Structure formats: C-alpha cells, structure tokens
Amino acid sequence: MKIIDLRTMRGPSYWSVRHHKLIVLKVDLQDLADTWSNAMPSLAAQLPELLPELEQTPPAENSKTIHKHPPLTREQLADGEPLGHVIQHVALALQRTAGMPVYWGKSHPAHQDGVEFVVFSYQEERAGRAAAEAAVQLVDDLCHGREIQLKPIIDELHEIREEEFFGPSTWSIVSEAASRNIPYIQLKNSSIIQLGYGVNQKRIWATTTSYTSHAGVEVAGNKNRTKAMLKDAGVPVPYGTTVYSEAGLRDAVEDLGFPIVTKPLDGNHGKGATIRIMNWEDAVEGLKAAQVYSRAVIVEQYIQGDDYRLLVVNGKLIAAAKRTPAAVKGDGKRTIQELIDEVNTDPRRGVGHEKVLTSIKADQHTLDILRNQELTLESVLPEGQTLYLKSTANISTGGTATDVTDLVHPYNLLLAERVSGIVGLDICGIDVLTSDIAIPLNETRGAVIEVNAAPGFRMHISPTDGLPRNVAAPVVDMLFPQGSTARIPIFAVTGTNGKTTTTQLLSHIVASKGYKVGHTTTSGIYIQGVQLQSGDCTGGQSAEFVLKDPTVNFAVLETARGGMLRSGLGFHTCDVAVVTNVAADHLGMRDIYTVEEMAAVKGVLPRTVRKNGWAVLNADDDLVYAMREKLECRVALFSMDEHSPRIREHAEQGGLAAVYEEGTLLSTKTAISFGLIGRRSFLLRLAAGLPSISKTPWPQLWLATATGLIKTTLSKHFGLLCHRLPKLRAE
C-alpha cells in the first residue's frame, strides 16, 4: 500500500459539513486492490488483539454516531470489509488508544482503479496525520505477515496529545464557549485561544484572559508582596521571611522555629516547595529544592490543617475543593511500588492531563520523602497506614480533590472574594490551610498561604469526589456578558465565475454604510480597503486572517474550490452564502472530475449558513438551484429571466428574489402573484440612503449581491457603479 495524498481539513469541507477536523487519505492499495478483509485471516485474528479500541462503541452521548458508524468487530473482519474501511477504523482506534476520543469516518473508492479515499476524524492534527500513516502501514504489514510493533506508535501519539491538546482548564472554557455558538481559533505557534471574531474577539491563555491585570499577575507572582498586601488588609497569612543563603535560613529558623515551609519566591504549581520541615538537614534540602526555581526563597511557619483551593471568578466565589496529596494505604502485604501500581489502575488516572486524575510517579521527590522516613519503594507498609508520596496536593502530581463548595462558611467566602480584589485578578485561585472550611478562618487559626493567577480548573470540573462544577461558565459570562456578541457578519461568495466581482461590490456597499470591512479575493486580502497580502487569497487561512483582525467588524470572503478541497473553510458558519454558478472549469483537479462533483464542492458553502441566514442562489443554473433542497436556512433567488418560472414559484411562496429587466435590477417578495407589482430599483434605493445596516432588514442587503451575480450583464458597469454610489446616496 502507498499513500498518494494526505490532506488535513480544518473546517466544513466537501467531505463533511458537520465534521470539521478530518484527515483525507488517498491510498493506492497496489497488490491488495480488490482484496477484502476476509481474504486476509490475519486481520480478524490479530487486529482486535492489537487494538481492543477497534471494537469499542462511542459513549452514550454519541448514540447517533453508534448508529451510523458502528465499531469494527472481529466478526465483520471475518465476514469481509473493504481494506479502506479497515484503515479508517484502525486510524481512529490508534487515536482513541492514545487518549483521543474520535469516532467518525468513511471510505469509498476513488476514480482510479485500486485507489481508496479514507476519511476520518482527528483531535490533534499532527496525531491525525501520524495515525493515518501508521494505520496504512499496520494494515499492510498484517496483510503481508510482517512483525507489528504497536507500542512505539501509541507512545508517539500519546506524546503528541500531551504536547498539543488543550489542557483541561483551557478546554473547559473553549467547550463552554462552543456550546454557546462562540467560535474559537488557536493562534499559530502559541497556546493563546481567540474566542469570537474581529472586533468582538476575546483571548484566553489557560485561565488568564483579555481582562487579566498584568499588575495582578505580578503581585500574585511575588509571594512576599502578596503576603504584605493581604496582611495590611486584615487577611490571616503565615509569618515568614525571605532568605538567599544558608546563613539567612539559619536566622529564619531561629526566629520561626520548626516546623517550617520553604518555597521559591516566584514559584507556581507547588514546584520547589517543601512543607512541614522538622530539622535543620531537611531545611537545607528544602532551600536547595526551592533555589532550583528562584534564588530568593520564602521561609515561613507551617500552618496545620487541610489544603483547600478557593476559586474566584469576576469577584465571585465559584468553587472550592479540598486537596489531598498523592498517597497509598498499606495492607501489610504489598510493597509501596505495588500499592502505587494498584492506585494507577484506576481508569480515571492517565498520563498528564489525559484523564480526570494523573497517574502517580515515584520521582526523586517521592524517593526523598521515603528516604526521610527510612523507607524505599520495596518497603511494605503496615495495614491501614497512609503514606503521602508528595509534599504538595497538586492534581498534576497525582493528588485528589473533593468538592466542598457548599460547605464554605460565609466568612471564608467573603475572605476569598476580598483576596481576589486586593490582588487584582479576574480569575484567582486562593490556597488556604485550615482544619475546617465550614468554620471562619480566624477561628481555626488557619491562613491564606498563596494566591494564584491562572489557577487550574481540573479539580473543580472533575473532582475525585463530590459535585463537578462548571467553573468555565462564569468565565465566558465575564468575557461575553448577556446581550453582547462574539461574532461579526460573514458574507461568503463562491461559484465558477463572478466571485471576485461580487465580493468587491459587497465589500464596497458594506463599507459605504460605515462598517470596517475585511475581504478576500483572488487578488489579495484587504482590511478596510488596504491590501495587506497579495495573490490568490480565497482559502481557509485567508478567511482566518480576516476573522482574527481586531479592527474588522464585517467580513466578505471569496471562497474558491481549491481552498475547500485543500483544507476546508476557515469558518464554521456564515450569515450569507452566495453561489454564482457552476461550470466545467477546473475539472480533473484534486479528484473532482464531473460538474456534479464540482456542484457538491460549491454546495458546501450554503450548507454552512446559520438557520436565520440567507443562501443567495442562481435560479438559472440547474445545479445551483438544486442546492436549496439541502438547506435549513432561508433562500433568495436571482435570475436574468424576468419571467423565470422558478422565480415565480419562489415568490408565490413568499420567497425573496431578484430579476434583471431592461437594465434595471428588481426585487420582489410576494405570496399573491409574481407580476412584479410595486417594482423598485433596489440599488438606487440602497444608494439613496437606507438606515444603518444593523437596522436594515437583512434581506434588503442580501439582494444587493444579485448585482454582482448577474455578472455577464453588469460587470462592465461595476467600476461606474462603485464610483457613483456615494454620489447616489447624496442625491
């Protein structure tokens, strides 16, 4: 087998309008052409053993996927499946085995004999491409009796996932935004996520946002400054000092006494922190551990109590969790390593952020804790004895969390909200040590030990015990308050001929109404009339260029066949899609060989129109006119024939239409009769000074597109029209 072509779709495409993240493989089966799985007994015998995920069904929420795309079973392989279908399922199963839950795919023969198209979903692009290559090689090796080494493939995919997938905090915000129909774009070569388009965009970086104060982050990052500010505001904090050497450490120990805590001045996530130090030797080790991250080290009194995290968003306490360090409990039989291995068998534990909990690793920090207790990984713990394997309760090091939001005392709730305001953070994680969060902190002799900018959400959205909290919802509420919008209007134009003229005309009309327009054409990308890039800019990346621009509040995007076939659209939905016509140009390129296939490509665009948007279709073109049958949005038609029966029927049903008659563009919408009763020159009315577009009924603006669409007649007047629009408005 050989991969002829491998493409990555990043938006609605010819292959699927609903599934946006797809790998499209074109595979030459070579000597296995026309071979099905039942002719290769090794497939049914070995594949399910190698990849148990192959036979796994999607979770319950994906019941539709179960029905349409069931898993690939041993019985199906034995009965006979096309090898393209097998490759599809293997690629999906490889990704699922590495912690990426993807299920959708399809396969079918290409135009060439012995060649298959294989299409499947991916979570991370690089992982999807690697899975594609691995799946083809794995099936080929099995069919030819070669040795299979699966572990390196899974390890590589796992590594890619950990490197590139959103962390749980970021993903919770992104998925919450997506559930509200707020689009998102991951900015290239960064972990910054743009929510929304154009002037309405907001950005997040983990749990820092467009509203996060730089001063607040600086204060939280300097633990001494934080402690001083909180102490001045009456917030209980541990007494301590900052040291830079063993001499300073000795003075601090003499002043504070044991037990103490050491931690780097500007550390985070518990890195370099050592708690409950009871003697000088451990204090020196704690100093060295902290100085790995910061020359300045905080030494402070140890506060007895449990570790709690209070999360404040936009000035309100949203969630609270009790955190417990990674630990094992002895049974008098098994070694500490065996107990760790048993804990890690919990299906909720995985590598990094893959699952709700992180697997416990016996790293150097753990070995130091054991050594201080005169233990090793081979030691057997007495029955019932609990051994803490980390000195901090971070979830990322194997700790657990219990939701206690409903137990927080009103005094502690107010305290947390005050701390967030004092430090100046929109999203703030407050670490508290106390014996009971249901009792006021000043009564338990507890203390606020740390304030965190960009706190992790995982302990709240997926606690080990207790009620999960949707802590992302208040973040999105803050970024996009009720009544605000994340989107900007998007007009998208496609077709074989007339795209550029229509795009330019629409952009000019919209700009004349005071909007700041970004538009793309075959000649370049234009932001507010200024060309920023030249060349053919009709693909997904050019569309994203406009939608990422923070000055744009209206997008008009020429959308060509090439971009849709190469990587899909650069947006998921639009307000208006215009299809000028479909002709036999460019056939034979990128596996499109017939006009009907070309129409299917162009038909992707109107299928992305939002439900209350408009698809503007050419009623004179049979293939374009037929596109209306698959649409859920409203449809407007245009025609060069004032007596078009299609226009007549559409208008009689109350539809919106435009026709060209004797040099005049006419709009009509009547359910009584066609007859062109009450004809008006639409362009003159628009140019004469319609109210702002935001107050204009959208259909009036949509029909302006028809001027560009009837290109064969009006294109020669385009320059004159654009020149005269301002003058016509003044008149």
Side-chain angles (χ1 to χ4, degrees), residues 427-448:
I427 302 177
C428 181
I430 301 152
D431 292 341
V432 173
L433 285 177
T434 180
S435 58
D436 191 342
I437 200 67
I439 300 174
L441 204 63
N442 58 349
E443 296 181 15
T444 63
R445 295 188 179 182
V448 173

Side-chain angles (χ1 to χ4, degrees), residues 536-694:
D536 187 347
C537 297
T538 55
Q541 288 187 346
S542 300
E544 278 198 355
F545 185 102
V546 170
L547 298 174
K548 288 191 292 188
D549 192 284
T551 69
V552 166
N553 60 9
F554 212 113
V556 183
L557 308 172
E558 181 178 343
T559 308
R561 160 205 57 82
M564 283 191 275
L565 290 171
R566 183 171 56 252
S567 60
L569 299 177
F571 51 88
H572 295 172
T573 61
C574 61
D575 298 279
V576 177
V578 179
V579 186
T580 60
N581 63 341
V582 177
D585 300 23
H586 312 299
L587 294 183
M589 300 175 65
R590 288 200 174 270
D591 300 293
I592 301 300
Y593 292 93
T594 68
V595 179
E596 288 74 19
E597 288 177 335
M598 183 65 74
V601 175
K602 304 292 186 183
V604 169
L605 199 62
R607 291 172 64 192
T608 66
V609 177
R610 61 181 180 83
K611 197 166 186 178
N612 292 323
W614 289 83
V616 183
L617 306 177
N618 184 350
D620 297 338
D621 187 306
D622 293 343
L623 292 172
V624 176
Y625 180 68
M627 292 177 187
R628 77 197 190 287
E629 298 172 1
K630 294 184 178 181
L631 304 182
E632 298 180 359
C633 63
R634 294 179 285 185
V635 174
L637 299 178
F638 66 92
S639 173
M640 287 290 293
D641 179 7
E642 64 202 74
H643 303 297
S644 167
R646 291 173 176 175
I647 296 291
R648 180 184 295 274
E649 179 186 5
H650 185 66
E652 286 175 348
Q653 294 174 358
L656 198 62
V659 296
Y660 184 68
E661 180 191 27
E662 298 177 0
T664 304
L665 180 68
L666 302 172
S667 65
T668 177
K669 183 180 183 183
T670 172
I672 303 173
S673 65
F674 182 53
L676 299 181
I677 297 172
R679 63 177 64 179
R680 290 172 291 183
S681 171
F682 182 78
L683 273 179
L684 290 178
R685 185 161 60 87
L686 179 70
L690 283 175
S692 167
I693 284 178
S694 62

Side-chain angles (χ1 to χ4, degrees), residues 24-318:
V24 178
L25 270 178
K26 190 176 180 183
V27 182
D28 185 349
L29 299 178
Q30 296 180 322
D31 61 322
L32 296 172
D34 301 320
T35 301
W36 283 40
S37 61
N38 55 348
M40 296 291 171
S42 57
L43 292 178
Q46 297 183 50
L47 257 184
E49 299 295 331
L50 286 168
L51 281 172
E53 273 290 343
L54 204 66
E55 298 185 277
Q56 295 299 311
T57 57
E61 60 267 24
N62 290 320
S63 56
K64 291 183 179 179
T65 304
I66 297 173
H67 176 69
K68 291 183 179 180
H69 300 280
L72 186 63
T73 65
R74 189 186 305 267
E75 290 74 16
Q76 288 173 300
L77 288 167
D79 289 342
E81 291 288 337
L83 292 187
H85 190 63
V86 176
I87 293 170
Q88 164 208 321
H89 277 280
V90 169
L92 292 168
L94 286 171
Q95 293 178 85
R96 293 199 298 271
T97 303
M100 293 170 278
V102 289
Y103 295 91
W104 189 86
K106 62 182 180 180
S107 59
H108 60 83
H111 285 280
Q112 300 89 351
D113 291 339
V115 177
E116 290 270 333
F117 277 115
V118 179
V119 183
F120 61 87
S121 299
Y122 66 85
Q123 178 179 284
E124 296 305 310
E125 181 176 324
R126 190 155 62 94
R129 296 177 71 91
E133 295 174 351
V136 172
Q137 188 63 55
L138 194 154
V139 173
D140 190 51
D141 287 344
L142 280 175
C143 289
H144 289 93
R146 304 186 194 106
E147 185 180 355
I148 304 296
Q149 294 291 334
L150 191 62
K151 187 177 183 304
I153 299 171
I154 301 302
D155 288 347
E156 179 188 4
L157 293 175
H158 231 137
E159 185 177 333
I160 293 172
R161 184 202 179 279
E162 287 303 298
E163 289 177 357
E164 300 194 2
F165 185 52
F166 299 137
S169 302
T170 304
W171 178 239
S172 69
I173 299 173
V174 168
S175 57
E176 175 66 24
S179 73
R180 304 185 189 193
N181 202 27
I182 296 172
Y184 68 91
I185 301 173
Q186 183 170 3
L187 303 188
K188 193 173 182 179
N189 299 323
S190 78
S191 299
I192 299 173
I193 310 298
Q194 174 183 315
L195 302 176
Y197 289 149
V199 296
N200 296 322
Q201 66 180 267
K202 300 294 188 295
R203 293 180 178 180
I204 62 168
W205 186 359
T207 58
T208 58
T209 77
S210 299
Y211 296 145
T212 301
S213 161
H214 176 71
V217 174
E218 286 296 306
V219 170
N222 186 309
K223 293 177 172 50
N224 270 350
R225 187 181 292 121
T226 302
K227 190 188 301 183
M229 291 179 67
L230 296 182
K231 184 177 181 182
D232 288 345
V235 176
V237 295
Y239 179 64
T241 186
T242 303
V243 305
Y244 299 86
S245 63
E246 285 192 26
L249 176 64
R250 188 175 295 279
D251 292 339
V253 168
E254 289 179 0
D255 186 26
L256 298 171
F258 292 112
I260 60 171
V261 173
T262 58
K263 54 187 176 182
L265 178 65
D266 53 0
N268 56 62
H269 300 294
K271 294 177 180 177
T274 307
I275 64 172
R276 207 171 184 275
I277 296 173
M278 302 298 295
N279 56 64
W280 172 251
E281 291 75 15
D282 290 345
V284 173
E285 290 299 317
L287 175 70
K288 293 177 180 177
Q291 286 189 324
V292 171
Y293 301 94
S294 170
R295 191 173 74 88
V297 176
I298 292 177
V299 182
E300 60 188 22
Q301 63 184 142
Y302 172 71
I303 304 295
Q304 184 71 37
D306 295 319
D307 186 324
Y308 292 90
R309 164 64 63 83
L310 308 180
L311 178 66
V312 177
V313 177
N314 200 23
K316 300 292 183 182
L317 179 73
I318 302 302

